[in-house]
Amino acid sequence: MFTFNDTARLQESELIAALKAGRESAFRMLVEMHQGKVYNTALAIVQQSEEAEDIAQEVFVEVYQTIGQFREEARLTTWLYRITTTKALAHLRKRKAQKRFSLLTSLFGVNNEVLHDPPDFQHPGVSLEQQEEMGTLFKAINRLADSQKVAFVLHYVEEQSHREIAEVMQVTVSAVESLLHRAKQNLRKQLTPFYQERKTP
């Protein structure tokens, strides 16, 4: 009999087989193992905690519904990152579309709060002393092109290797290296004034 406690010793292939068999204990284990990574990845991209929670829930619902279609050509974690980044970027595009619509419909209004960036983005693991610096960094990350943003978040936030990122994004390793290089260049341009200002007495 397959139980939740037994799953702790399962290899990935066994876990996938159990998921495809529809065993709820396997699904509970999958969520417990990966919910932190999924949430943190989504949060680093959308930068709103409630939205990241929604995305994480959507990711696991999709996994539950489509696990039968998973062909195991990539690792399970790679598949999860791919779904997470795709959904996070879709949420960003939807939010931007809503902002444009709000701008058009509120040109003559007085309340434009929806047009402003969230004032208080915080990511897990960031100390109080680092919040101003990290808030500025994540605002800069938010301005990157989508592909640069995904590569940067996966490498520097989730500590994925270039090869792992290439699998998630379905591009070559050299393409990932190029994306990271351009992301760092763009971030340097954006952040240089901030750090110069902090150094000024």
Side-chain angles (χ1 to χ4, degrees):
M1 181 69 181
F2 184 92
T3 66
F4 179 68
N5 289 334
D6 294 334
T7 62
R9 294 182 292 274
L10 287 180
Q11 297 297 320
E12 183 172 287
S13 59
E14 294 176 294
L15 176 60
I16 292 169
L19 289 166
K20 288 183 175 181
R23 293 171 177 170
E24 291 187 8
S25 52
F27 184 70
R28 288 199 303 273
M29 180 188 182
L30 176 76
V31 173
E32 185 171 296
M33 287 172 61
H34 298 292
Q35 61 183 348
K37 291 180 180 178
V38 168
Y39 171 78
N40 288 342
T41 301
L43 181 61
I45 294 174
V46 300
Q47 303 183 18
Q48 291 187 4
S49 57
E50 290 184 5
E51 196 168 358
E53 289 173 3
D54 290 342
I55 291 168
Q57 184 173 353
E58 290 174 18
V59 168
F60 288 111
V61 168
E62 179 165 332
V63 169
Y64 183 79
Q65 293 174 339
T66 63
I67 187 65
Q69 302 168 26
F70 181 51
R71 293 176 294 191
E72 301 181 51
E73 294 173 351
R75 293 171 55 211
L76 186 59
T77 50
T78 299
W79 189 48
L80 282 170
Y81 277 126
R82 191 176 297 158
I83 296 172
T84 303
T85 54
T86 299
K87 287 189 176 295
L89 291 175
H91 272 253
L92 274 185
R93 286 191 289 270
K94 181 179 178 182
R95 191 198 303 163
K96 288 175 182 176
Q98 289 173 336
K99 283 186 177 183
R100 286 195 296 271
F101 179 76
S102 297
L103 177 62
L104 291 171
T105 57
S106 63
L107 284 174
F108 303 101
V110 292
N111 296 317
N112 290 326
E113 290 83 1
V114 72
L115 303 179
H116 298 296
D117 292 329
D120 244 357
F121 170 64
Q122 295 180 12
H123 195 276
V126 177
S127 68
L128 286 173
E129 295 79 11
Q130 294 177 308
Q131 281 181 9
E132 180 186 2
E133 185 173 343
M134 292 302 291
T136 301
L137 171 60
F138 276 102
K139 283 184 179 180
I141 292 172
N142 197 37
R143 299 187 189 103
L144 293 174
D146 286 351
S147 56
Q148 293 177 30
K149 186 183 306 177
V150 169
F152 189 89
V153 166
L154 288 178
H155 187 59
Y156 291 103
V157 178
E158 288 301 308
E159 300 181 340
Q160 296 287 292
S161 70
H162 291 183
R163 185 168 298 281
E164 288 169 327
I165 297 167
E167 290 177 0
V168 172
M169 299 184 71
Q170 297 179 296
V171 297
T172 64
V173 172
S174 60
V176 171
E177 292 169 349
S178 177
L179 287 169
L180 289 171
H181 178 69
R182 294 204 301 273
K184 286 188 287 186
Q185 282 185 321
N186 289 330
L187 288 173
R188 190 175 294 115
K189 288 177 186 176
Q190 292 188 59
L191 295 172
T192 296
F194 171 75
Y195 287 110
Q196 286 177 340
E197 183 179 323
R198 285 170 67 94
K199 289 178 181 178
T200 303

